[in-house]
Amino acid sequence: QVQLVESGGGLVQAGGSLRLSCAASGRTFSSYAMGWFRQAPGKEREFVATITRSGGSTFYANSVKGRFTISRDNAKGTVYLQMNTLKPEDTATYYCAATSRLGSPVGKEAYGYWGQGTQVTVSS
């Protein structure tokens, strides 16, 4: 198993930046592809970004492409989400998730391990 703890959320003005971190403990971090998802009040949890085990491949939702960057440091057991040019519609609770499946799945059902979430609020 793997335990995930997110940090780095907060309140930021539109156009600003935040960097989320997700620290993993437990089984070998590099055994898992990692993803970031988000959930706004009253909405379904949606895919944001994913990264393969080695970090060699990434994939993004169209809504964040070009603004967000996912990365990982396997030596530190941490995955990051750099969020630039934030918009009010990016306001949500952000979750990191881990999957032992190959590749970099985008469906939340593929991920078996989840963090508790970190709140991101973007003011206009």
Side-chain angles (χ1 to χ4, degrees), residues 57-91:
S57 180
T58 58
F59 187 74
Y60 298 90
N62 287 335
S63 59
V64 307
K65 197 175 298 182
R67 300 188 298 123
F68 291 11
T69 302
I70 188 172
S71 61
R72 67 189 294 163
D73 185 334
N74 283 347
K76 294 183 178 179
T78 303
V79 62
Y80 305 97
L81 186 68
Q82 177 67 44
M83 305 186 294
N84 298 329
T85 319
L86 283 160
K87 304 175 181 180
E89 52 263 43
D90 295 318
T91 295

PDB file of all heavy atoms in Angstrom, residues 57-91:
ATOM      1  N   SER A  57       6.648  10.395 -19.231  1.00  0.00           N
ATOM      2  CA  SER A  57       5.481  10.774 -20.028  1.00  0.00           C
ATOM      3  C   SER A  57       4.424  11.395 -19.126  1.00  0.00           C
ATOM      4  O   SER A  57       4.192  10.930 -18.011  1.00  0.00           O
ATOM      5  CB  SER A  57       4.921   9.541 -20.735  1.00  0.00           C
ATOM      6  OG  SER A  57       3.796   9.886 -21.512  1.00  0.00           O
ATOM      7  N   THR A  58       3.794  12.440 -19.637  1.00  0.00           N
ATOM      8  CA  THR A  58       2.739  13.123 -18.908  1.00  0.00           C
ATOM      9  C   THR A  58       1.542  13.345 -19.821  1.00  0.00           C
ATOM     10  O   THR A  58       1.660  13.298 -21.058  1.00  0.00           O
ATOM     11  CB  THR A  58       3.219  14.496 -18.381  1.00  0.00           C
ATOM     12  OG1 THR A  58       3.656  15.285 -19.499  1.00  0.00           O
ATOM     13  CG2 THR A  58       4.360  14.344 -17.398  1.00  0.00           C
ATOM     14  N   PHE A  59       0.396  13.583 -19.206  1.00  0.00           N
ATOM     15  CA  PHE A  59      -0.823  13.849 -19.971  1.00  0.00           C
ATOM     16  C   PHE A  59      -1.699  14.781 -19.148  1.00  0.00           C
ATOM     17  O   PHE A  59      -1.761  14.652 -17.923  1.00  0.00           O
ATOM     18  CB  PHE A  59      -1.554  12.535 -20.260  1.00  0.00           C
ATOM     19  CG  PHE A  59      -2.719  12.706 -21.189  1.00  0.00           C
ATOM     20  CD1 PHE A  59      -2.523  12.920 -22.552  1.00  0.00           C
ATOM     21  CD2 PHE A  59      -4.016  12.653 -20.718  1.00  0.00           C
ATOM     22  CE1 PHE A  59      -3.595  13.084 -23.408  1.00  0.00           C
ATOM     23  CE2 PHE A  59      -5.099  12.820 -21.560  1.00  0.00           C
ATOM     24  CZ  PHE A  59      -4.890  13.032 -22.905  1.00  0.00           C
ATOM     25  N   TYR A  60      -2.373  15.707 -19.863  1.00  0.00           N
ATOM     26  CA  TYR A  60      -3.137  16.739 -19.174  1.00  0.00           C
ATOM     27  C   TYR A  60      -4.562  16.838 -19.708  1.00  0.00           C
ATOM     28  O   TYR A  60      -4.817  16.579 -20.891  1.00  0.00           O
ATOM     29  CB  TYR A  60      -2.466  18.097 -19.358  1.00  0.00           C
ATOM     30  CG  TYR A  60      -1.078  18.172 -18.783  1.00  0.00           C
ATOM     31  CD1 TYR A  60       0.034  17.848 -19.550  1.00  0.00           C
ATOM     32  CD2 TYR A  60      -0.877  18.555 -17.457  1.00  0.00           C
ATOM     33  CE1 TYR A  60       1.312  17.901 -19.018  1.00  0.00           C
ATOM     34  CE2 TYR A  60       0.403  18.619 -16.917  1.00  0.00           C
ATOM     35  CZ  TYR A  60       1.484  18.288 -17.713  1.00  0.00           C
ATOM     36  OH  TYR A  60       2.747  18.351 -17.176  1.00  0.00           O
ATOM     37  N   ALA A  61      -5.438  17.285 -18.842  1.00  0.00           N
ATOM     38  CA  ALA A  61      -6.767  17.668 -19.287  1.00  0.00           C
ATOM     39  C   ALA A  61      -6.636  18.920 -20.149  1.00  0.00           C
ATOM     40  O   ALA A  61      -5.762  19.758 -19.924  1.00  0.00           O
ATOM     41  CB  ALA A  61      -7.668  17.947 -18.085  1.00  0.00           C
ATOM     42  N   ASN A  62      -7.521  19.040 -21.128  1.00  0.00           N
ATOM     43  CA  ASN A  62      -7.458  20.198 -22.022  1.00  0.00           C
ATOM     44  C   ASN A  62      -7.589  21.515 -21.258  1.00  0.00           C
ATOM     45  O   ASN A  62      -6.987  22.524 -21.645  1.00  0.00           O
ATOM     46  CB  ASN A  62      -8.554  20.106 -23.074  1.00  0.00           C
ATOM     47  CG  ASN A  62      -8.265  19.042 -24.116  1.00  0.00           C
ATOM     48  OD1 ASN A  62      -7.115  18.680 -24.358  1.00  0.00           O
ATOM     49  ND2 ASN A  62      -9.315  18.521 -24.740  1.00  0.00           N
ATOM     50  N   SER A  63      -8.346  21.492 -20.185  1.00  0.00           N
ATOM     51  CA  SER A  63      -8.611  22.722 -19.440  1.00  0.00           C
ATOM     52  C   SER A  63      -7.380  23.281 -18.734  1.00  0.00           C
ATOM     53  O   SER A  63      -7.366  24.457 -18.364  1.00  0.00           O
ATOM     54  CB  SER A  63      -9.717  22.473 -18.414  1.00  0.00           C
ATOM     55  OG  SER A  63      -9.343  21.443 -17.526  1.00  0.00           O
ATOM     56  N   VAL A  64      -6.351  22.446 -18.546  1.00  0.00           N
ATOM     57  CA  VAL A  64      -5.156  22.914 -17.829  1.00  0.00           C
ATOM     58  C   VAL A  64      -3.899  22.854 -18.689  1.00  0.00           C
ATOM     59  O   VAL A  64      -2.840  23.324 -18.265  1.00  0.00           O
ATOM     60  CB  VAL A  64      -4.929  22.119 -16.527  1.00  0.00           C
ATOM     61  CG1 VAL A  64      -6.191  22.135 -15.669  1.00  0.00           C
ATOM     62  CG2 VAL A  64      -4.490  20.689 -16.809  1.00  0.00           C
ATOM     63  N   LYS A  65      -4.008  22.293 -19.864  1.00  0.00           N
ATOM     64  CA  LYS A  65      -2.837  22.139 -20.723  1.00  0.00           C
ATOM     65  C   LYS A  65      -2.205  23.487 -21.017  1.00  0.00           C
ATOM     66  O   LYS A  65      -2.893  24.448 -21.353  1.00  0.00           O
ATOM     67  CB  LYS A  65      -3.258  21.444 -22.019  1.00  0.00           C
ATOM     68  CG  LYS A  65      -2.121  20.856 -22.832  1.00  0.00           C
ATOM     69  CD  LYS A  65      -2.668  20.083 -24.028  1.00  0.00           C
ATOM     70  CE  LYS A  65      -3.520  18.915 -23.600  1.00  0.00           C
ATOM     71  NZ  LYS A  65      -4.024  18.136 -24.751  1.00  0.00           N
ATOM     72  N   GLY A  66      -0.882  23.545 -20.864  1.00  0.00           N
ATOM     73  CA  GLY A  66      -0.155  24.789 -21.093  1.00  0.00           C
ATOM     74  C   GLY A  66      -0.053  25.674 -19.874  1.00  0.00           C
ATOM     75  O   GLY A  66       0.734  26.630 -19.854  1.00  0.00           O
ATOM     76  N   ARG A  67      -0.843  25.368 -18.834  1.00  0.00           N
ATOM     77  CA  ARG A  67      -0.800  26.164 -17.592  1.00  0.00           C
ATOM     78  C   ARG A  67      -0.271  25.347 -16.415  1.00  0.00           C
ATOM     79  O   ARG A  67       0.381  25.902 -15.526  1.00  0.00           O
ATOM     80  CB  ARG A  67      -2.199  26.683 -17.249  1.00  0.00           C
ATOM     81  CG  ARG A  67      -2.812  27.577 -18.309  1.00  0.00           C
ATOM     82  CD  ARG A  67      -4.113  28.214 -17.819  1.00  0.00           C
ATOM     83  NE  ARG A  67      -5.144  27.214 -17.517  1.00  0.00           N
ATOM     84  CZ  ARG A  67      -5.743  27.081 -16.332  1.00  0.00           C
ATOM     85  NH1 ARG A  67      -5.401  27.869 -15.321  1.00  0.00           N
ATOM     86  NH2 ARG A  67      -6.683  26.158 -16.160  1.00  0.00           N
ATOM     87  N   PHE A  68      -0.580  24.072 -16.373  1.00  0.00           N
ATOM     88  CA  PHE A  68      -0.173  23.193 -15.272  1.00  0.00           C
ATOM     89  C   PHE A  68       0.925  22.254 -15.752  1.00  0.00           C
ATOM     90  O   PHE A  68       0.952  21.841 -16.909  1.00  0.00           O
ATOM     91  CB  PHE A  68      -1.346  22.356 -14.787  1.00  0.00           C
ATOM     92  CG  PHE A  68      -2.434  23.104 -14.071  1.00  0.00           C
ATOM     93  CD1 PHE A  68      -2.486  24.495 -14.064  1.00  0.00           C
ATOM     94  CD2 PHE A  68      -3.426  22.407 -13.388  1.00  0.00           C
ATOM     95  CE1 PHE A  68      -3.501  25.171 -13.401  1.00  0.00           C
ATOM     96  CE2 PHE A  68      -4.436  23.072 -12.722  1.00  0.00           C
ATOM     97  CZ  PHE A  68      -4.476  24.456 -12.741  1.00  0.00           C
ATOM     98  N   THR A  69       1.811  21.903 -14.812  1.00  0.00           N
ATOM     99  CA  THR A  69       2.875  20.943 -15.103  1.00  0.00           C
ATOM    100  C   THR A  69       2.974  19.938 -13.965  1.00  0.00           C
ATOM    101  O   THR A  69       3.137  20.329 -12.797  1.00  0.00           O
ATOM    102  CB  THR A  69       4.233  21.640 -15.265  1.00  0.00           C
ATOM    103  OG1 THR A  69       4.146  22.612 -16.316  1.00  0.00           O
ATOM    104  CG2 THR A  69       5.315  20.629 -15.613  1.00  0.00           C
ATOM    105  N   ILE A  70       2.879  18.660 -14.311  1.00  0.00           N
ATOM    106  CA  ILE A  70       3.060  17.594 -13.331  1.00  0.00           C
ATOM    107  C   ILE A  70       4.490  17.084 -13.432  1.00  0.00           C
ATOM    108  O   ILE A  70       5.046  16.969 -14.525  1.00  0.00           O
ATOM    109  CB  ILE A  70       2.033  16.451 -13.554  1.00  0.00           C
ATOM    110  CG1 ILE A  70       2.106  15.429 -12.410  1.00  0.00           C
ATOM    111  CG2 ILE A  70       2.203  15.805 -14.915  1.00  0.00           C
ATOM    112  CD1 ILE A  70       0.979  14.385 -12.460  1.00  0.00           C
ATOM    113  N   SER A  71       5.078  16.787 -12.286  1.00  0.00           N
ATOM    114  CA  SER A  71       6.429  16.235 -12.264  1.00  0.00           C
ATOM    115  C   SER A  71       6.560  15.361 -11.031  1.00  0.00           C
ATOM    116  O   SER A  71       5.701  15.374 -10.149  1.00  0.00           O
ATOM    117  CB  SER A  71       7.483  17.351 -12.243  1.00  0.00           C
ATOM    118  OG  SER A  71       7.350  18.154 -11.079  1.00  0.00           O
ATOM    119  N   ARG A  72       7.622  14.600 -10.963  1.00  0.00           N
ATOM    120  CA  ARG A  72       7.834  13.727  -9.813  1.00  0.00           C
ATOM    121  C   ARG A  72       9.311  13.600  -9.518  1.00  0.00           C
ATOM    122  O   ARG A  72      10.153  13.715 -10.409  1.00  0.00           O
ATOM    123  CB  ARG A  72       7.208  12.353 -10.042  1.00  0.00           C
ATOM    124  CG  ARG A  72       7.847  11.521 -11.130  1.00  0.00           C
ATOM    125  CD  ARG A  72       6.997  10.274 -11.425  1.00  0.00           C
ATOM    126  NE  ARG A  72       6.961   9.362 -10.293  1.00  0.00           N
ATOM    127  CZ  ARG A  72       6.052   8.385 -10.167  1.00  0.00           C
ATOM    128  NH1 ARG A  72       5.117   8.220 -11.100  1.00  0.00           N
ATOM    129  NH2 ARG A  72       6.086   7.583  -9.119  1.00  0.00           N
ATOM    130  N   ASP A  73       9.604  13.339  -8.259  1.00  0.00           N
ATOM    131  CA  ASP A  73      10.958  13.065  -7.812  1.00  0.00           C
ATOM    132  C   ASP A  73      10.903  11.723  -7.091  1.00  0.00           C
ATOM    133  O   ASP A  73      10.477  11.639  -5.932  1.00  0.00           O
ATOM    134  CB  ASP A  73      11.435  14.166  -6.874  1.00  0.00           C
ATOM    135  CG  ASP A  73      12.890  14.008  -6.458  1.00  0.00           C
ATOM    136  OD1 ASP A  73      13.394  12.870  -6.456  1.00  0.00           O
ATOM    137  OD2 ASP A  73      13.515  15.021  -6.105  1.00  0.00           O
ATOM    138  N   ASN A  74      11.308  10.666  -7.778  1.00  0.00           N
ATOM    139  CA  ASN A  74      11.190   9.324  -7.200  1.00  0.00           C
ATOM    140  C   ASN A  74      12.112   9.136  -6.001  1.00  0.00           C
ATOM    141  O   ASN A  74      11.806   8.359  -5.098  1.00  0.00           O
ATOM    142  CB  ASN A  74      11.475   8.270  -8.264  1.00  0.00           C
ATOM    143  CG  ASN A  74      10.295   8.089  -9.204  1.00  0.00           C
ATOM    144  OD1 ASN A  74       9.189   8.568  -8.941  1.00  0.00           O
ATOM    145  ND2 ASN A  74      10.520   7.416 -10.325  1.00  0.00           N
ATOM    146  N   ALA A  75      13.209   9.838  -5.964  1.00  0.00           N
ATOM    147  CA  ALA A  75      14.122   9.734  -4.824  1.00  0.00           C
ATOM    148  C   ALA A  75      13.481  10.304  -3.565  1.00  0.00           C
ATOM    149  O   ALA A  75      13.747   9.825  -2.452  1.00  0.00           O
ATOM    150  CB  ALA A  75      15.424  10.453  -5.125  1.00  0.00           C
ATOM    151  N   LYS A  76      12.643  11.321  -3.738  1.00  0.00           N
ATOM    152  CA  LYS A  76      11.962  11.948  -2.599  1.00  0.00           C
ATOM    153  C   LYS A  76      10.562  11.387  -2.374  1.00  0.00           C
ATOM    154  O   LYS A  76       9.909  11.744  -1.396  1.00  0.00           O
ATOM    155  CB  LYS A  76      11.873  13.463  -2.811  1.00  0.00           C
ATOM    156  CG  LYS A  76      13.217  14.170  -2.815  1.00  0.00           C
ATOM    157  CD  LYS A  76      13.042  15.674  -2.946  1.00  0.00           C
ATOM    158  CE  LYS A  76      14.384  16.384  -2.893  1.00  0.00           C
ATOM    159  NZ  LYS A  76      14.231  17.861  -3.033  1.00  0.00           N
ATOM    160  N   GLY A  77      10.096  10.557  -3.290  1.00  0.00           N
ATOM    161  CA  GLY A  77       8.758  10.006  -3.140  1.00  0.00           C
ATOM    162  C   GLY A  77       7.675  11.055  -3.227  1.00  0.00           C
ATOM    163  O   GLY A  77       6.675  10.988  -2.494  1.00  0.00           O
ATOM    164  N   THR A  78       7.836  12.013  -4.110  1.00  0.00           N
ATOM    165  CA  THR A  78       6.928  13.150  -4.178  1.00  0.00           C
ATOM    166  C   THR A  78       6.541  13.451  -5.613  1.00  0.00           C
ATOM    167  O   THR A  78       7.379  13.370  -6.519  1.00  0.00           O
ATOM    168  CB  THR A  78       7.581  14.393  -3.548  1.00  0.00           C
ATOM    169  OG1 THR A  78       7.963  14.086  -2.197  1.00  0.00           O
ATOM    170  CG2 THR A  78       6.619  15.570  -3.526  1.00  0.00           C
ATOM    171  N   VAL A  79       5.272  13.790  -5.795  1.00  0.00           N
ATOM    172  CA  VAL A  79       4.779  14.271  -7.080  1.00  0.00           C
ATOM    173  C   VAL A  79       4.301  15.703  -6.883  1.00  0.00           C
ATOM    174  O   VAL A  79       3.802  16.067  -5.818  1.00  0.00           O
ATOM    175  CB  VAL A  79       3.652  13.363  -7.623  1.00  0.00           C
ATOM    176  CG1 VAL A  79       2.439  13.331  -6.710  1.00  0.00           C
ATOM    177  CG2 VAL A  79       3.259  13.758  -9.035  1.00  0.00           C
ATOM    178  N   TYR A  80       4.483  16.514  -7.922  1.00  0.00           N
ATOM    179  CA  TYR A  80       4.176  17.934  -7.848  1.00  0.00           C
ATOM    180  C   TYR A  80       3.171  18.324  -8.930  1.00  0.00           C
ATOM    181  O   TYR A  80       3.084  17.678  -9.980  1.00  0.00           O
ATOM    182  CB  TYR A  80       5.453  18.759  -8.050  1.00  0.00           C
ATOM    183  CG  TYR A  80       6.567  18.415  -7.097  1.00  0.00           C
ATOM    184  CD1 TYR A  80       7.577  17.532  -7.477  1.00  0.00           C
ATOM    185  CD2 TYR A  80       6.611  18.963  -5.821  1.00  0.00           C
ATOM    186  CE1 TYR A  80       8.608  17.208  -6.609  1.00  0.00           C
ATOM    187  CE2 TYR A  80       7.639  18.642  -4.941  1.00  0.00           C
ATOM    188  CZ  TYR A  80       8.629  17.767  -5.340  1.00  0.00           C
ATOM    189  OH  TYR A  80       9.641  17.433  -4.485  1.00  0.00           O
ATOM    190  N   LEU A  81       2.474  19.401  -8.671  1.00  0.00           N
ATOM    191  CA  LEU A  81       1.632  20.014  -9.694  1.00  0.00           C
ATOM    192  C   LEU A  81       1.883  21.526  -9.629  1.00  0.00           C
ATOM    193  O   LEU A  81       1.455  22.186  -8.687  1.00  0.00           O
ATOM    194  CB  LEU A  81       0.151  19.712  -9.468  1.00  0.00           C
ATOM    195  CG  LEU A  81      -0.773  20.209 -10.578  1.00  0.00           C
ATOM    196  CD1 LEU A  81      -0.529  19.405 -11.863  1.00  0.00           C
ATOM    197  CD2 LEU A  81      -2.234  20.097 -10.167  1.00  0.00           C
ATOM    198  N   GLN A  82       2.614  22.015 -10.624  1.00  0.00           N
ATOM    199  CA  GLN A  82       2.854  23.449 -10.738  1.00  0.00           C
ATOM    200  C   GLN A  82       1.699  24.051 -11.518  1.00  0.00           C
ATOM    201  O   GLN A  82       1.440  23.649 -12.652  1.00  0.00           O
ATOM    202  CB  GLN A  82       4.181  23.704 -11.455  1.00  0.00           C
ATOM    203  CG  GLN A  82       4.483  25.180 -11.677  1.00  0.00           C
ATOM    204  CD  GLN A  82       4.726  25.936 -10.392  1.00  0.00           C
ATOM    205  OE1 GLN A  82       5.431  25.454  -9.510  1.00  0.00           O
ATOM    206  NE2 GLN A  82       4.151  27.130 -10.276  1.00  0.00           N
ATOM    207  N   MET A  83       1.027  25.018 -10.904  1.00  0.00           N
ATOM    208  CA  MET A  83      -0.155  25.614 -11.516  1.00  0.00           C
ATOM    209  C   MET A  83       0.112  27.097 -11.748  1.00  0.00           C
ATOM    210  O   MET A  83       0.330  27.846 -10.796  1.00  0.00           O
ATOM    211  CB  MET A  83      -1.371  25.426 -10.603  1.00  0.00           C
ATOM    212  CG  MET A  83      -1.620  23.973 -10.221  1.00  0.00           C
ATOM    213  SD  MET A  83      -3.148  23.745  -9.289  1.00  0.00           S
ATOM    214  CE  MET A  83      -2.747  24.638  -7.794  1.00  0.00           C
ATOM    215  N   ASN A  84       0.119  27.483 -13.003  1.00  0.00           N
ATOM    216  CA  ASN A  84       0.353  28.873 -13.376  1.00  0.00           C
ATOM    217  C   ASN A  84      -0.890  29.457 -14.040  1.00  0.00           C
ATOM    218  O   ASN A  84      -1.769  28.720 -14.500  1.00  0.00           O
ATOM    219  CB  ASN A  84       1.539  28.960 -14.336  1.00  0.00           C
ATOM    220  CG  ASN A  84       2.826  28.480 -13.716  1.00  0.00           C
ATOM    221  OD1 ASN A  84       3.046  28.601 -12.509  1.00  0.00           O
ATOM    222  ND2 ASN A  84       3.696  27.915 -14.539  1.00  0.00           N
ATOM    223  N   THR A  85      -0.934  30.762 -14.112  1.00  0.00           N
ATOM    224  CA  THR A  85      -2.041  31.473 -14.750  1.00  0.00           C
ATOM    225  C   THR A  85      -3.379  30.925 -14.255  1.00  0.00           C
ATOM    226  O   THR A  85      -4.267  30.545 -15.035  1.00  0.00           O
ATOM    227  CB  THR A  85      -1.962  31.363 -16.291  1.00  0.00           C
ATOM    228  OG1 THR A  85      -0.607  31.505 -16.722  1.00  0.00           O
ATOM    229  CG2 THR A  85      -2.792  32.460 -16.952  1.00  0.00           C
ATOM    230  N   LEU A  86      -3.526  30.877 -12.961  1.00  0.00           N
ATOM    231  CA  LEU A  86      -4.723  30.288 -12.371  1.00  0.00           C
ATOM    232  C   LEU A  86      -5.957  31.124 -12.672  1.00  0.00           C
ATOM    233  O   LEU A  86      -5.901  32.362 -12.767  1.00  0.00           O
ATOM    234  CB  LEU A  86      -4.540  30.122 -10.871  1.00  0.00           C
ATOM    235  CG  LEU A  86      -3.669  28.925 -10.475  1.00  0.00           C
ATOM    236  CD1 LEU A  86      -3.129  29.081  -9.069  1.00  0.00           C
ATOM    237  CD2 LEU A  86      -4.459  27.633 -10.613  1.00  0.00           C
ATOM    238  N   LYS A  87      -7.069  30.419 -12.807  1.00  0.00           N
ATOM    239  CA  LYS A  87      -8.353  31.042 -13.111  1.00  0.00           C
ATOM    240  C   LYS A  87      -9.351  30.704 -12.001  1.00  0.00           C
ATOM    241  O   LYS A  87      -9.201  29.673 -11.325  1.00  0.00           O
ATOM    242  CB  LYS A  87      -8.888  30.497 -14.435  1.00  0.00           C
ATOM    243  CG  LYS A  87      -7.938  30.660 -15.610  1.00  0.00           C
ATOM    244  CD  LYS A  87      -8.511  29.983 -16.849  1.00  0.00           C
ATOM    245  CE  LYS A  87      -7.572  30.100 -18.031  1.00  0.00           C
ATOM    246  NZ  LYS A  87      -8.128  29.443 -19.246  1.00  0.00           N
ATOM    247  N   PRO A  88     -10.379  31.513 -11.829  1.00  0.00           N
ATOM    248  CA  PRO A  88     -11.393  31.183 -10.807  1.00  0.00           C
ATOM    249  C   PRO A  88     -11.993  29.794 -10.992  1.00  0.00           C
ATOM    250  O   PRO A  88     -12.314  29.130 -10.004  1.00  0.00           O
ATOM    251  CB  PRO A  88     -12.437  32.290 -11.002  1.00  0.00           C
ATOM    252  CG  PRO A  88     -11.651  33.450 -11.512  1.00  0.00           C
ATOM    253  CD  PRO A  88     -10.605  32.845 -12.408  1.00  0.00           C
ATOM    254  N   GLU A  89     -12.113  29.348 -12.221  1.00  0.00           N
ATOM    255  CA  GLU A  89     -12.682  28.016 -12.468  1.00  0.00           C
ATOM    256  C   GLU A  89     -11.744  26.879 -12.065  1.00  0.00           C
ATOM    257  O   GLU A  89     -12.131  25.716 -12.107  1.00  0.00           O
ATOM    258  CB  GLU A  89     -13.094  27.864 -13.934  1.00  0.00           C
ATOM    259  CG  GLU A  89     -12.022  28.218 -14.931  1.00  0.00           C
ATOM    260  CD  GLU A  89     -12.166  29.651 -15.455  1.00  0.00           C
ATOM    261  OE1 GLU A  89     -12.434  30.564 -14.636  1.00  0.00           O
ATOM    262  OE2 GLU A  89     -12.003  29.839 -16.677  1.00  0.00           O
ATOM    263  N   ASP A  90     -10.514  27.202 -11.671  1.00  0.00           N
ATOM    264  CA  ASP A  90      -9.608  26.181 -11.135  1.00  0.00           C
ATOM    265  C   ASP A  90      -9.862  25.918  -9.653  1.00  0.00           C
ATOM    266  O   ASP A  90      -9.266  25.007  -9.075  1.00  0.00           O
ATOM    267  CB  ASP A  90      -8.145  26.604 -11.313  1.00  0.00           C
ATOM    268  CG  ASP A  90      -7.727  26.693 -12.769  1.00  0.00           C
ATOM    269  OD1 ASP A  90      -8.110  25.796 -13.545  1.00  0.00           O
ATOM    270  OD2 ASP A  90      -7.022  27.654 -13.122  1.00  0.00           O
ATOM    271  N   THR A  91     -10.734  26.698  -9.050  1.00  0.00           N
ATOM    272  CA  THR A  91     -11.061  26.517  -7.631  1.00  0.00           C
ATOM    273  C   THR A  91     -11.665  25.137  -7.392  1.00  0.00           C
ATOM    274  O   THR A  91     -12.640  24.755  -8.039  1.00  0.00           O
ATOM    275  CB  THR A  91     -12.046  27.600  -7.168  1.00  0.00           C
ATOM    276  OG1 THR A  91     -11.411  28.874  -7.248  1.00  0.00           O
ATOM    277  CG2 THR A  91     -12.496  27.349  -5.737  1.00  0.00           C
TER     278      THR A  91
END
